[in-house]
Structure formats: C-alpha cells, structure tokens
Amino acid sequence: SAVISQKPSRDICQRGTSLTIQCQVDSQVTMMFWYRQQPGQSLTLIATANQGSEATYESGFVIDKFPISRPNLTFSTLTVSNMSPEDSSIYLCSVSLWRGLGYTFGSGTRLTVV
Amino acid sequence: DAKTTQPNSMESNEEEPVHLPCNHSTISGTDYIHWYRQLPSQGPEYVIHGLTSNVNNRMASLAIAEDRKSSTLILHRATLRDAAVYYCILRDAISGNTPLVFGKGTRLSVIA
C-alpha cells in the first residue's frame, strides 16, 4: 500500500487566517481524496483531486473556502481559508493504489481555530 | 453505494473474540463488503474485504451471510490496540478509483 506523509499534524490558528495542509505520497496516484472529520463524527468527503484538472467538490464544500492544488501525481495541498471556529476538525487525505481497493489515509491534521 | 447499518458501540474484554455486525439488506450482486478501522488519532486503515465467501487475513476474519444481507467482522483475540471505530463499507466492483463513503461505524472498546 502507499505511504502518505501529511503535514502539519496539528495547528492552532486565529480566525480569519488560512492554513495549507500538504499530502505527499510515495507512489504516483491518479486521484487523491480530501476528508474532514468533525469532533466525534465520521469522515466526510470534501473533494477529489485529479492531477491536471480542477478538483471536484462535494455538496456543501466550495473552492473558495477549500482550494486544492494537485501539481503532480504524488502531491496535493488543501487550504482552509478565512477560518472560523466551525472549521476546527481533523482533515485527512487518502489515495488508492489499486482502483478501489486498499485505500490509504494520512494520519490527519488536527486543526483548532480560536 | 448501498447503505450499511452498524451498532454505535460495542465492548469486549481483552483476549476475547469480538464479533462486529453489519447489516446491508440492499446490497447488490456486485457490491464488495469492505471493513476499515480508525485507531485513536490516526487515519482509517484497511482491515479486510470480501464478496461472497468468508475471508481470513492476519488482522481479522470476515463472515458473510449466505444471502449477503449481513456480515460480521471477527477479531479472534481482542487486544487493547484493537480499540477503534470500525467501518463497514459497500463498494460496487465497478466503482473504480472513487472515494470511500463512511457511515458512522462501531466504536469498539476493549477492557483489560
């Protein structure tokens, strides 16, 4: 399975600022997926990032708030913009090396907005 | 992807077997049953998957009902490290490289 390095592991940010989360994969992958996990909740998909095209966002998530970059097949960033306390969550990236089997997840970024 | 139903929480004693149920009454013939778990402060990790036959690997066993409308993840000897949220997810065989969709899962507590 792939190995994902996700940074930062945690951060405390002031409201109104932005944070960029990075995911580096040790293999080339077509799709990378970004999730949000609010406190005590399950994972919710934010968007799918395909190299060379705009990310596809799920209902309730917009590009202005969560811009995503995917410059190559091993790297992606998610930015949480103009943060408010409601954005305090764990953000995770994920990939699959084998077309829908054996998904791997980053260890997550625990974001606290104060 | 078809919907699954799992108990919110379960509790087990250490070194005892654990049977985690999952109901999926609307499963289609091409849906695979996947299990992932999320340990505290970590991202989810793959546990096991199957289609019709029971499956075993080093982590767990998956028992699939004959009508495929339910399945059970079996941890043969629970350890404290197995305390996690366990997610049962159905994936169509032709889903390809689409993202996993998570339900609420079952929070397993293991008592020493």
Side-chain angles (χ1 to χ4, degrees), chain B residues 30-48:
Chain B
T30 54
D31 282 333
Y32 279 80
I33 302 159
H34 295 250
W35 284 82
Y36 281 74
R37 72 179 184 180
Q38 187 174 20
L39 302 171
S41 301
Q42 295 188 29
E45 63 179 5
Y46 169 81
V47 177
I48 201 167

Side-chain angles (χ1 to χ4, degrees), chain B residues 1-60:
Chain B
D1 294 323
K3 184 176 174 59
T4 62
T5 303
Q6 300 177 252
N8 290 333
S9 62
M10 292 185 65
E11 197 172 84
S12 173
N13 294 318
E14 194 176 15
E15 299 189 7
E16 295 288 322
V18 182
H19 291 232
L20 297 164
C22 181
N23 288 323
H24 28 78
S25 58
T26 60
I27 191 170
S28 74
T30 54
D31 282 333
Y32 279 80
I33 302 159
H34 295 250
W35 284 82
Y36 281 74
R37 72 179 184 180
Q38 187 174 20
L39 302 171
S41 301
Q42 295 188 29
E45 63 179 5
Y46 169 81
V47 177
I48 201 167
H49 77 281
L51 183 62
T52 56
S53 303
N54 294 344
V55 184
N56 300 295
N57 66 20
R58 64 176 179 82
M59 290 180 68

Side-chain angles (χ1 to χ4, degrees), chain A residues 35 37 42 45 100-101 103 105-106, chain B residues 36 38 44 91 96 98-100 103:
Chain A
Y35 291 84
Q37 187 169 28
S42 184
L45 181 68
L101 295 179
Y103 286 79
F105 288 78
Chain B
Y36 281 74
Q38 187 174 20
R91 297 264 309 166
T98 56
L100 290 175

Side-chain angles (χ1 to χ4, degrees), chain A residues 8-27:
Chain A
S9 59
R10 59 178 61 230
D11 208 341
I12 300 174
C13 300
Q14 296 290 322
R15 68 177 66 201
T17 63
S18 298
L19 175 71
T20 296
I21 301 166
Q22 300 179 1
C23 271
Q24 178 75 52
V25 188
D26 69 344
S27 303

Side-chain angles (χ1 to χ4, degrees), chain A residues 1-4 25-35 45 48-50 70 73-74 93-106, chain B residues 34 36 44 46 49 91-93 95-100 102:
Chain A
S1 61
V3 176
I4 299 176
V25 188
D26 69 344
S27 303
Q28 293 186 337
V29 293
T30 305
M31 303 285 196
M32 292 182 74
F33 310 108
W34 286 96
Y35 291 84
L45 181 68
T48 298
N50 190 4
R70 184 78 204 278
L73 291 173
T74 63
C93 59
S94 174
V95 302
S96 170
L97 281 185
W98 306 295
R99 289 190 61 78
L101 295 179
Y103 286 79
T104 303
F105 288 78
Chain B
H34 295 250
Y36 281 74
Y46 169 81
H49 77 281
R91 297 264 309 166
D92 193 290
S95 293
N97 200 0
T98 56
L100 290 175
F102 289 83

